[in-house]
Amino acid sequence: MSRATRKLKRITALVVEDDEQAMKFITMVLMDMGMTQLFTAADGMEAWETLNDHRDEIDVVICDWNLPRLSGLEMLERMREERIATPFLMLTGRGTMESAIEACSTGVDSYLPKPFAPEQLLRKLLPLVGLDPSYVTV
């Protein structure tokens, strides 16, 4: 087992996605790269509650922008208002420059337009947890 894989086994992610197929894809990619500690939520309010219940355990949030009950952007705004500095990777079907600027101005750590390949997710996610993306392949 590589050092990177051992580190990934200790990383806990909160994955927030309302599309069931997208959730399966994301969690499969994360598990394939060695992550075993995953919380999932299908809407923003469920994610907010999970984050508050497990704040000290969650190392990174991977969150869709468009969600029921509380959008990904609204969740990010709440996190930053409460000074929760957990790295945040925003996933979105909004591939526009304006959307990227809006997310960045709210304090997003990384931004990934949909659809994306597993390698693209890794390139965005791994630096957020302190790993070089070249260490892990899918």
Side-chain angles (χ1 to χ4, degrees):
M1 180 182 307
S2 75
R3 213 170 110 193
T5 303
R6 282 193 303 274
K7 178 165 178 144
L8 282 169
K9 283 187 171 287
R10 294 190 306 264
I11 299 296
T12 300
L14 170 58
V15 181
V16 190
E17 175 60 69
D18 62 325
D19 179 272
E20 188 177 333
Q21 292 303 317
M23 175 69 85
K24 285 179 183 178
F25 172 74
I26 295 165
T27 57
M28 178 196 66
V29 170
L30 298 176
M31 291 177 2
D32 284 352
M33 63 187 238
M35 293 179 76
T36 57
Q37 301 174 81
L38 301 174
F39 291 101
T40 60
D43 68 60
M45 285 305 296
E46 180 185 357
W48 181 247
E49 291 164 7
T50 300
L51 180 64
N52 282 301
D53 291 345
H54 302 280
R55 189 177 292 196
D56 295 333
E57 301 168 56
I58 295 172
D59 300 302
V60 64
V61 175
I62 303 165
C63 186
D64 186 25
W65 185 310
N66 291 321
L67 295 167
R69 301 197 310 152
L70 182 73
S71 75
L73 192 63
E74 290 166 331
M75 183 171 158
L76 176 60
E77 288 170 341
R78 283 187 181 188
M79 287 175 63
R80 298 311 185 231
E81 285 170 5
E82 294 201 18
R83 302 204 189 293
I84 301 171
T86 304
F88 195 103
L89 172 57
M90 181 74 75
L91 308 176
T92 183
R94 302 176 179 199
T96 66
M97 183 59 77
E98 293 81 16
S99 296
I101 291 168
E102 184 177 4
C104 288
S105 70
T106 307
V108 74
D109 296 286
S110 196
Y111 178 89
L112 183 59
K114 294 178 183 179
F116 51 84
E119 296 78 20
Q120 292 171 302
L121 177 60
L122 294 177
R123 276 195 298 271
K124 294 290 185 166
L125 176 65
L126 294 179
L128 298 179
V129 296
L131 289 173
D132 182 331
S134 66
Y135 289 151
V136 180
T137 58
V138 175

